[in-house]
Amino acid sequence: MIEMINYDALYTLIGSNFKRIRMKKIGLTQEKLAEELNLSRSFISHIESQKVNKGVSLDTLFLISQKYNIDIRDFFQGYEQFLK
């Protein structure tokens, strides 16, 4: 039997990685990143929030990966814990 993934925990992981990537690899504020991607700052804030479990589309992750030369796998760093 396949065990269900805790999606809230997965969204939290992706959000934490998103924030780390934004701050350390891209070096932009939420507002500046949102402006460059034509997204709202509140959308970026929701992705990064530990309190709001909002998924982010693969389209958005691919866009960021291509625009800022980021390996898309970086957004999923630590995913292995969900495979146990």
Side-chain angles (χ1 to χ4, degrees):
M1 182 172 180
I2 297 175
E3 192 172 321
M4 294 298 294
I5 293 174
N6 179 342
Y7 287 102
D8 289 344
L10 179 60
Y11 294 150
T12 298
L13 173 73
I14 293 170
S16 294
N17 288 333
F18 189 100
K19 182 176 183 176
R20 177 183 48 78
I21 290 166
R22 175 184 60 78
M23 294 175 72
K24 296 192 181 210
K25 291 189 176 187
I26 300 172
L28 295 176
T29 63
Q30 288 180 348
E31 188 171 337
K32 187 64 177 167
L33 179 65
E35 182 181 309
E36 288 192 7
L37 297 174
N38 199 28
L39 300 170
S40 71
R41 192 213 48 83
S42 64
F43 178 71
I44 301 297
S45 176
H46 278 89
I47 294 169
E48 295 181 0
S49 176
Q50 301 267 329
K51 296 177 184 173
V52 179
N53 290 318
K54 181 175 180 89
V56 58
S57 73
L58 286 175
D59 291 346
T60 301
L61 296 180
F62 276 119
L63 171 67
I64 294 167
S65 294
Q66 288 179 326
K67 182 171 180 77
Y68 300 104
N69 197 29
I70 304 293
D71 187 333
I72 195 164
R73 294 174 293 187
D74 290 352
F75 291 107
F76 300 95
Q77 186 176 357
Y79 176 75
E80 301 79 19
Q81 67 185 326
F82 296 100
L83 302 177
K84 295 178 181 176

